C-alpha cells in the first residue's frame, strides 16, 4: 500500500558526505538493515521518502510482540532505535544512484543524489524501496484501499472475518485468494471479471459455498453514494446489467511493482513475477545482487513478505554488508601495511 505519513527526520546538508552504507528506503527492511549496521559501528544513513506501502492500514498484524501497532508508530520507534546507535535518517527522495570510481584496491563506491541536490558517497548500498500496489481499473475501488478493499488474508483477514466479502478476480492467483478468504467468512462471492474459471474450480467453489458471478463488474458502490470524499464504506459491487451484489469488503490481488525511481544507474536486474502479478528486483542469498556492493531487501525483492519478514531480510542484508565491509577494511589495512613495509625496507 502506498500513502504519506509524517516523518520527523533531519535534512541532508553536507554534500559529498561519505558513509559506510546508504540505505534507500525507510520501511521495516531499510530500518532494520540500518540498525544492524549502526550497532556494528558503521556510519549509515537512511533515505526516507515517507511513503510506506502500508500507510493506509490501521495496524500491523502477524508481527510477534507488535500485534496491531499502527504502521506510523512502528516506523517512529524504528527510526529512534537507529538514531540511538548513531545512524542518520534523512527525509528525501533519491533521484540518481550510480557506481563511482572504486578504490585503488578495487573496493566499490557509489554516489547517491537526492532531490534537493545533496550528494552522498557510500561504500555500500542497501535498496529497500518497497513496492507499489496497482489496483484493477474499477470505478470506486481505489478510494477504499487499505480499509474496505484488502489484498492479504494474513494482514487483514481477522479484521474482516464474517463480513460479506467479494473477490475481484484478476487471474489464476485469485482462485487461491478465494480459498484463503473462504476460511474467514461463509459469505463469499467470486466475480470472474472475464477471467477463465474451469469446471473443476467451479465445482470446488460450489463445494465450499462460494458463489460465482460471471456478469461483468461495472463499479464498486459506496454507502455515501459517491466515489469521492471520506466516511463511506462499501455498499456492494454493481454489475453491468445494473444489479448490485451487496458486499462490505472487497479482496483483490494487486499488481506489485518494485519501486525503482532513481535507481536506473545501478543497472540492477529485475524479473517478472509469475502469473503477471508484477515485477521485482532479482536477488540472491541475503539480498545480494549482481552489482557488487549493492543489496536489496524487503518487498522490492520479495513482494509477498509481511512486515516481520521484510524486517528480518533487512537485518540479514545489513549483517552481510557489515561482513563485506570488514573484509574490505582488512584488505585495505593489509595493503597499507605492505606499502609501509616496502618503504621501511628501502629506508
Amino acid at each position: 500500500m502506498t500513502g504519506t505519513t509524517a516523518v520527523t527526520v533531519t535534512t541532508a546538508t553536507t554534500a559529498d558526505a561519505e558513509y559506510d552504507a546508504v540505505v534507500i528506503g525507510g520501511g521495516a527492511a531499510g530500518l532494520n538493515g540500518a540498525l544492524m549496521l549502526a550497532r556494528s559501528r558503521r556510519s549509515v544513513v537512511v533515505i526516507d521518502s515517507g511513503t510506506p506501502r502500508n500507510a493506509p492500514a490501521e495496524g500491523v498484524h502477524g508481527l510477534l510482540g507488535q500485534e496491531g501497532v499502527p504502521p506510523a508508530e512502528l516506523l517512529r520507534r524504528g527510526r529512534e532505535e537507529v538514531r540511538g546507535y548513531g545512524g542518520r535518517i534523512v527525509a528525501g527522495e533519491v533521484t540518481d544512484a550510480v557506481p563511482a570510481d572504486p578504490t585503488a584496491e578495487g573496493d566499490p563506491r557509489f554516489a547517491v543524489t537526492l532531490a534537493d541536490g545533496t550528494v552522498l558517497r557510500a561504500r555500500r548500498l542497501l535498496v529497500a524501496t518497497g513496492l507499489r500496489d496497482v489496483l484493477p481499473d474499477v470505478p470506486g475501488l481505489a478510494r477504499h484501499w487499505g480499509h474496505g478493499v484488502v489484498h492479504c488474508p494474513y494482514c487483514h483477514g481477522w479484521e474482516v472475518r464474517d463480513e460479506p466479502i467479494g473477490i475481484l478476480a484478476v487471474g489464476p492467483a485469485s482462485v487461491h485468494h478465494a480459498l484463503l478468504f473462504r476460511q474467514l467468512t461463509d459469505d463469499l462471492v467470486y466475480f470472474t471479471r472475464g477471467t477463465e474459471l474451469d469446471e473443476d474450480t467451479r465445482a470446488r467453489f460450489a463445494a465450499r459455498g462460494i458463489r460465482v458471478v460471471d456478469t461483468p463488474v461495472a463499479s464498486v458502490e459506496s454507502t455515501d453514494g459517491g466515489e469521492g470524499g471520506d466516511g463511506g464504506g462499501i455498499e456492494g459491487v454493481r454489475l453491468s446489467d445494473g444489479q448490485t451484489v451487496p458486499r462490505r469488503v472487497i479482496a483483490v490481488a494487486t499488481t506489485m511493482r518494485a519501486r525503482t525511481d532513481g535507481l536506473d544507474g545501478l543497472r540492477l536486474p529485475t524479473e517478472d513475477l509469475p502469473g503477471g502479478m508484477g515485477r521485482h528486483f532479482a536477488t540472491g542469498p541475503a539480498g545480494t545482487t549482481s552489482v557488487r556492493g549493492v543489496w536489496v531487501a524487503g518487498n522490492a525483492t520479495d513482494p509477498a513478505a509481511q512486515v516481520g519478514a521484510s524486517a528480518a531480510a533487512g537485518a540479514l542484508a545489513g549483517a552481510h554488508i557489515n561482513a563485506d565491509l570488514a573484509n574490505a577494511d582488512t584488505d585495505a589495512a593489509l595493503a597499507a601495511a605492505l606499502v609501509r613495509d616496502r618503504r621501511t625496507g628501502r629506508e
Side-chain angles (χ1 to χ4, degrees):
M1 300 177 182
T2 59
T4 302
T5 186
V7 182
T8 304
V9 293
T10 59
T11 56
T13 57
T14 305
D16 296 323
E18 181 167 297
Y19 295 87
D20 287 326
V22 168
V23 179
I24 305 173
L31 288 173
N32 220 19
L35 184 64
M36 294 294 282
L37 287 159
R39 281 178 51 82
S40 298
R41 308 191 75 175
R42 295 294 179 185
S43 59
V44 58
V45 60
V46 178
I47 311 303
D48 188 350
S49 68
T51 56
R53 179 190 185 194
N54 61 357
E58 294 180 358
V60 172
H61 299 291
L63 183 60
L64 189 64
Q66 300 291 337
E67 174 62 30
V69 63
E73 172 62 15
L74 182 68
L75 296 182
R76 185 196 67 77
R77 295 176 192 175
R79 291 191 289 267
E80 288 300 313
E81 290 169 354
V82 171
R83 287 195 193 96
Y85 292 102
R88 290 189 66 201
I89 312 293
V90 170
E93 296 184 1
V94 172
T95 58
D96 194 32
V98 294
D101 291 336
T103 65
E105 295 78 28
D107 197 47
R109 292 292 186 272
F110 301 91
V112 179
T113 303
L114 307 187
D116 65 0
T118 300
V119 178
L120 305 175
R121 306 292 176 180
R123 301 175 64 191
R124 301 294 184 270
L125 296 182
L126 173 57
V127 174
T129 49
L131 59 80
R132 292 185 177 89
D133 291 289
V134 181
L135 290 166
D137 187 16
V138 176
L141 183 68
R143 66 167 296 201
H144 298 288
W145 177 236
H147 301 285
V149 175
V150 300
H151 73 296
C152 173
Y154 303 107
C155 302
H156 315 287
W158 178 263
E159 286 65 40
V160 302
R161 68 194 185 281
D162 298 326
E163 294 282 7
I165 299 176
I167 303 289
L168 293 187
V170 297
S174 297
V175 172
H176 182 58
H177 219 203
L179 297 179
L180 295 178
F181 275 95
R182 176 61 181 83
Q183 176 66 21
L184 302 165
T185 183
D186 293 332
D187 187 355
L188 188 67
V189 176
Y190 188 91
F191 299 91
T192 60
R193 298 184 61 246
T195 62
E196 294 293 329
L197 200 63
D198 59 41
E199 291 305 315
D200 179 65
T201 301
R202 289 176 184 270
R204 290 169 64 82
F205 277 6
R208 295 300 310 274
I210 300 172
R211 176 186 168 194
V212 175
V213 173
D214 292 307
T215 306
V217 169
S219 64
V220 172
E221 298 297 300
S222 302
T223 55
D224 62 6
E227 295 180 13
D230 297 317
I234 293 175
E235 180 180 16
V237 175
R238 186 165 61 86
L239 306 178
S240 61
D241 63 5
Q243 175 189 1
T244 295
V245 180
R247 296 292 90 186
R248 292 289 302 279
V249 176
I250 300 298
V252 59
T254 62
T255 300
M256 299 172 288
R257 302 187 186 280
R259 297 182 181 186
T260 62
D261 298 343
L263 303 179
D264 290 348
L266 295 176
R267 300 185 182 279
L268 294 171
T270 60
E271 59 187 10
D272 290 331
L273 294 168
M277 294 307 296
R279 194 163 182 82
H280 68 139
F281 286 112
T283 59
T288 54
T289 72
S290 60
V291 180
R292 187 182 174 205
V294 182
W295 279 253
V296 181
N299 285 155
T301 182
D302 184 2
Q306 293 180 264
V307 173
S310 291
L316 183 60
H320 276 250
I321 291 171
N322 179 59
D324 190 52
L325 287 168
N327 285 330
D329 292 341
T330 303
D331 291 342
L334 178 59
L338 292 173
V339 169
R340 287 196 301 271
D341 289 345
R342 284 196 295 269
R343 288 176 178 171
T344 302
R346 286 199 298 269
E347 294 173 355

